[in-house]
């Protein structure tokens, strides 16, 4: 790149950056001191598809599918009954 040295333009080496490096899919560029490097991309819940009845939660820095724990909000009770949690299960009680 060109830099002025007093009143004289000079070509000087340009420090490499992440803009100069193309990383393969599944990785991203991070600067390691003064050097750009491709490192594995950290996965998030947006990268993981969970099966029905489960949802994604981050455990430390890893996305995991965990079972959905039903609550009374998930259960519609018939008239004359109400929902109560018995241990970890919602039940309709008269």
């Amino acid at each position: 790149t060109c830099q002025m040295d007093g009143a004289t333009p000079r070509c000087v080496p340009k420090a490499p950056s992440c803009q100069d490096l193309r990383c393969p899919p599944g990785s991203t560029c991070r600067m390691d001191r003064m050097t750009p490097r491709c490192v594995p991309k950290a996965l998030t819940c947006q990268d993981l598809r969970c099966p029905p009845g489960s949802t994604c939660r981050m455990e430390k820095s890893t996305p995991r599918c965990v079972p959905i724990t039903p609550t009374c909000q998930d259960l519609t009770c018939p008239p004359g009954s109400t929902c109560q949690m018995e241990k970890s299960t919602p039940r309709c009680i008269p």
Side-chain angles (χ1 to χ4, degrees):
T1 186
C2 181
Q3 285 186 348
M4 295 301 289
D5 182 9
T8 307
R10 300 217 185 265
C11 291
V12 295
K14 183 178 150 191
S17 73
C18 281
Q19 292 177 345
D20 305 312
L21 185 64
R22 285 187 186 249
C23 292
S27 67
T28 187
C29 182
R30 289 216 180 108
M31 292 300 290
D32 181 10
R33 296 191 179 119
M34 299 294 290
T35 306
R37 300 213 185 276
C38 292
V39 296
K41 189 190 252 184
L43 295 177
T44 68
C45 280
Q46 292 178 346
D47 303 308
L48 188 64
R49 287 185 186 229
C50 292
S54 66
T55 187
C56 182
R57 286 209 186 111
M58 293 299 290
E59 290 182 6
K60 296 182 181 171
S61 60
T62 305
R64 300 233 185 261
C65 291
V66 295
I68 295 172
T69 305
T71 67
C72 280
Q73 291 179 343
D74 303 312
L75 187 63
T76 303
C77 291
S81 65
T82 184
C83 181
Q84 290 183 354
M85 294 297 291
E86 288 184 6
K87 295 182 181 173
S88 61
T89 305
R91 301 231 186 261
C92 292
I93 308 287

